[in-house]
Amino acid sequence: MVPAPRRLATLRPCFCRTSAARTALTRSRSLSSAASPTPSASAPPTAPPPTTAELLVDLRDLVGRYPLLRETSWATRLDGALADLKHPRRARIAVVGDKQSGASALVTAAFDDPLASDGEVTVALASRRLGDAPEAVALTYGSTTQTSAHEVAISSPWLRDNKADVVEVVHGDVPALQSSLDALYSSDAVVLLLSESRGLTSTTTRSILSELASKPNLILALNTLEPSHPSATKALEAHLATLLSPDSQPEVRAVSTEQALEALEALAPTEPGHEVSYEKFSAGYVGSGVPQLKDRLAQAVSTLDAPSAENNVPSSLRLQTARHTLAKGVDVAAFEGAKIADRLHQAASDVAALSFETTEAADAVLASLGVEDGLLKIPNEEVAAASAELHELLDGRLAWYLLPLRLDDLTSEIALVTSATYLPHFESHLIYSTGRLVSLSSSLSTKVDTLLSTSPAFSPSSRTDSPLSSLYSPTLLNTLAQATVESTTISSSSLSSPLIARRSQLTAPGGPAEVLQSRAQKSVASAMSLSLGSVAVGVGMQVMEYAELATSGGVALLGTTMAAWGLQRGWEKAKKRFFVDVEKRVTGGLEEDLGIAAQRLVERSTYKARTAIALTEELLRKKQGDFEQFKARLARIEEGRRKL
């Protein structure tokens, strides 16, 4: 486990003035000094810097308002640091190490003093780790020896004289419990004991070191067989130089728990027949380095009751401990804040990519359909082919000279031809494009679902990480579920239905075909009237003997010819008006209808994606605004901490 950086520059405040602001400030001061040259003018009093307790309260409120630290007990640690500043307490010393380090042996060697205590102390210390012992066991001073599952009270003169308690933490190869880490944070001095065989190779040990690296009175003790050898700690110091910065290097000492316990055994033999040897005890115990370590710890906690300059707090030692907790809490909050910023940035990038892809896909579909300025342009060759079929019909089976015989079949003939020849290929193209829109809708829906299921920001589990980095919203999911139904209600005829409607309009009542038939009827009626009238005049002239037979026949033939010419001319006009109606009322209106239908279908196919984009962008704006407030508050706390 690589130690987390102590400070994150991304969340540190930048309290600097721009050159323009400095210029304005200089001018302001110049004008002020010119207007008030007397030295009696005094600057307004500045607010006193915040105290450690006030900063702890601010950070505690920040952690409570934005639950950032799910896996650590920072609320408990900050509350404990505040309580320690407000109420007198005994000094706290922690001895921590894994099961191979000999942490229990070190505590026994340090506080089992046969010369100053009775045998009950030895028994209590020997039995505290028997059976299913907890990870952390506290040693406190008591006039009589008492033991419980988590605490042992012994009549130790050293604990009494130094007004100190000791917590012994023995962990395995798994991370230490949060309660154990809380005890380490609240301790005024910590001894991290390392075995000579493992050193700092243990991941758990390095994790604890990274947690406490900047803590005052942190001592790394190497449990070795020859603690007095000059090179006993050289390898450990070299390893530390690769893990920590020079200003974070803790004090390193060498001890030998085996040598110290052998010295105690020489003073109070447990084996029958062994004689007491004060010389062996003195040489072995002093040579083990344990007494020197105890003296160093006594020196570290000696300032427990020394006066402090901060609000008359009676203990500078407690201030050191509280300030370390404050600094580490700010560091961890900043680190969590950086992760939140990364998660929000990643979510914003994912949403922006989805928005770009949705826009590009919609534009591509509209471009492939030929939508321009709201109109879906029909290819000229399609219109020309449809017009040619109608011309062939009106010039062939419905030619002017056949009108009197086919007049009643005109509308049905046009309907028969247009149903098969009026833009059939274009209709197939529209149906194919509708399939593309269905595919687009499905593709975008899948991308939205993938984004919501794979992005950590939208995962329900992210709610336990930090509310600031979570975009999970039941309202969003419910809205998108409804949007899924809206975006998938696209049938194969959704886009071609305007074409079918306009095609049927050709022969609908009041449509171009009916108008054409009405005009054809008028033309035929006029021609028939003129032809019959001419024949009647010719017959009358012949009967009345007003003219010769040839003249009468000529009059009848002339009238019939004029009737035929009128019918042909009227039919041509009717056809021209028919094609104009088809162009304006059917083809032109069809392009507008298809343009509207295409845009609506594109909107429907992208509805889920656009809804997801709009809602997530709104959530992102809110979360980013809240995060900016969090950063500003954390920056103020850090600035106040630097001023302490």
Side-chain angles (χ1 to χ4, degrees):
M1 179 176 180
V2 180
R6 297 189 61 228
R7 297 288 183 269
L8 295 177
T10 56
L11 290 181
R12 289 295 178 263
C14 180
F15 294 89
C16 57
R17 294 188 176 93
T18 61
S19 58
R22 286 195 295 267
T23 302
L25 182 59
T26 302
R27 291 177 179 175
S28 170
R29 289 174 175 172
S30 300
L31 291 175
S32 176
S33 60
S36 303
T38 59
S40 60
S42 59
T46 58
T51 63
T52 302
E54 291 171 342
L55 293 176
L56 284 170
V57 170
D58 289 344
L59 185 58
R60 175 64 179 87
D61 180 68
L62 186 66
V63 171
R65 187 181 298 272
Y66 306 105
L68 304 172
L69 316 174
R70 172 175 61 90
E71 298 179 354
T72 55
S73 304
W74 276 99
T76 302
R77 294 172 189 170
L78 295 173
D79 288 338
L82 276 169
D84 287 346
L85 287 180
K86 294 179 180 179
H87 308 291
R89 63 169 175 81
R90 297 170 62 85
R92 298 191 185 113
I93 299 172
V95 178
V96 57
D98 57 25
K99 294 180 180 179
Q100 290 76 29
S101 66
S104 295
L106 177 60
V107 173
T108 299
F111 298 103
D112 186 8
D113 188 354
L115 296 177
S117 58
D118 53 29
E120 293 183 358
V121 173
T122 302
V123 174
L125 291 175
S127 62
R128 72 187 187 281
R129 287 287 174 184
L130 295 179
D132 190 13
E135 187 175 84
V137 176
L139 267 69
T140 62
Y141 174 77
S143 57
T144 59
T145 302
Q146 296 180 355
T147 61
S148 64
H150 295 84
E151 184 176 340
V152 178
I154 58 176
S155 57
S156 168
W158 194 93
L159 295 178
R160 179 196 61 207
D161 297 340
N162 290 281
K163 300 178 182 178
D165 294 330
V166 176
V167 59
E168 171 190 297
V169 178
V170 180
H171 61 84
D173 292 330
V174 295
L177 297 175
Q178 291 301 324
S179 58
S180 300
L181 291 178
D182 294 344
L184 297 180
Y185 269 97
S186 64
S187 297
D188 304 305
V190 177
V191 177
L192 177 56
L193 188 62
L194 310 174
S195 65
E196 189 174 27
S197 60
R198 302 186 70 177
L200 287 170
T201 59
S202 170
T203 303
T204 306
T205 301
R206 290 202 305 272
S207 174
I208 294 176
L209 177 61
S210 69
E211 291 276 352
L212 306 174
S214 59
K215 188 175 182 62
N217 302 319
L218 172 64
I219 301 173
L220 257 65
L222 181 65
N223 195 357
T224 178
L225 294 177
E226 299 182 1
S228 60
H229 196 281
S231 62
T233 60
K234 293 296 183 182
L236 177 59
E237 291 171 348
H239 195 179
L240 275 175
T242 64
L243 297 177
L244 303 176
S245 59
D247 59 340
S248 300
Q249 294 293 324
E251 180 182 348
V252 178
R253 286 178 173 268
V255 296
S256 175
T257 57
E258 182 178 350
Q259 187 175 341
L261 292 177
E262 288 178 355
L264 290 174
E265 177 68 19
L267 185 62
T270 58
E271 295 293 333
H274 287 195
E275 296 182 356
V276 175
S277 175
Y278 292 100
E279 293 79 7
K280 187 176 181 180
F281 164 75
S282 178
Y285 198 68
V286 172
S288 69
V290 174
Q292 295 85 340
L293 178 60
K294 289 176 64 177
D295 292 341
R296 175 65 183 87
L297 292 174
Q299 178 188 3
V301 300
S302 63
T303 58
L304 178 65
D305 293 323
S308 171
E310 184 183 32
N311 286 354
N312 297 319
V313 175
S315 172
S316 60
L317 183 64
R318 282 185 282 162
L319 271 178
Q320 284 185 346
T321 304
R323 286 175 178 174
H324 171 262
T325 303
L326 172 65
K328 191 66 177 181
V330 171
D331 284 345
V332 176
F335 184 74
E336 293 295 324
K339 292 197 297 185
I340 292 170
D342 289 343
R343 183 169 291 181
L344 291 178
H345 176 73
Q346 183 61 47
S349 299
D350 293 341
V351 173
L354 178 62
S355 177
F356 177 79
E357 187 172 355
T358 301
T359 303
E360 287 292 307
D363 292 343
V365 171
L366 290 175
S368 68
L369 287 172
V371 177
E372 297 179 5
D373 299 329
L375 301 178
L376 198 160
K377 298 295 183 181
I378 303 174
N380 294 330
E381 58 271 17
E382 292 279 346
V383 177
S387 179
E389 292 292 338
L390 285 174
H391 275 289
E392 183 179 353
L393 171 65
L394 298 182
D395 293 339
R397 296 197 305 272
L398 296 178
W400 66 272
Y401 51 84
L402 296 176
L403 277 181
L405 301 177
R406 308 295 303 273
L407 188 61
D408 294 336
D409 300 333
L410 188 146
T411 300
S412 60
E413 287 283 350
I414 293 177
L416 181 64
V417 170
T418 54
S419 63
T421 63
Y422 189 76
L423 307 178
H425 299 295
F426 187 62
E427 182 179 3
S428 300
H429 169 66
L430 294 178
I431 295 174
Y432 170 76
S433 298
T434 305
R436 286 190 59 189
L437 289 172
V438 173
S439 176
L440 173 63
S441 175
S442 176
S443 174
L444 291 178
S445 179
T446 301
K447 291 181 183 298
V448 170
D449 294 338
T450 301
L451 173 63
L452 297 182
S453 61
T454 60
S455 176
F458 295 97
S459 174
S461 62
S462 65
R463 291 179 295 170
T464 59
D465 292 336
S466 171
L468 286 179
S469 64
S470 175
L471 299 178
Y472 178 81
S473 170
T475 302
L476 170 65
L477 297 179
N478 182 54
T479 304
L480 291 182
Q482 298 176 5
T484 302
V485 178
E486 175 69 20
S487 61
T488 54
T489 54
I490 302 176
S491 64
S492 59
S493 61
S494 295
L495 187 56
S496 60
S497 56
L499 172 59
I500 298 173
R502 290 288 178 171
R503 179 189 292 157
S504 63
Q505 189 177 350
L506 282 170
T507 55
E514 186 176 275
V515 173
L516 177 64
Q517 186 176 26
S518 175
R519 289 173 177 164
Q521 288 174 345
K522 290 181 180 179
S523 297
V524 169
S526 298
M528 292 294 293
S529 299
L530 180 59
S531 177
L532 292 175
S534 300
V535 171
V537 170
V539 172
M541 291 176 62
Q542 183 64 35
V543 172
M544 299 295 296
E545 296 181 354
Y546 286 142
E548 297 180 354
L549 179 61
T551 302
S552 299
V555 170
L557 182 61
L558 177 61
T560 304
T561 302
M562 292 182 65
W565 177 79
L567 176 61
Q568 182 182 15
R569 184 169 178 272
W571 179 237
E572 291 298 328
K573 287 183 178 181
K575 287 194 300 181
K576 288 181 180 180
R577 293 295 301 273
F578 171 75
F579 284 110
V580 170
D581 286 348
V582 171
E583 175 67 24
K584 291 183 178 181
R585 296 175 57 186
V586 179
T587 306
L590 176 60
E591 290 184 342
E592 183 177 355
D593 292 347
L594 289 175
I596 295 173
Q599 290 176 343
R600 287 179 176 175
L601 284 178
V602 168
E603 290 177 358
R604 184 181 299 175
S605 62
T606 60
Y607 179 72
K608 180 177 180 178
R610 289 185 294 105
T611 301
I613 292 167
L615 292 178
T616 52
E617 285 179 344
E618 181 180 354
L619 287 172
L620 274 170
R621 283 192 297 270
K622 183 179 183 302
K623 295 296 183 181
Q624 288 169 345
D626 293 342
F627 182 61
E628 290 301 321
Q629 295 179 7
F630 160 78
K631 287 200 302 180
R633 288 192 60 184
L634 185 61
R636 288 195 297 270
I637 295 172
E638 171 63 8
E639 181 65 16
R641 191 193 67 81
R642 291 179 179 273
K643 291 179 179 180
L644 290 175

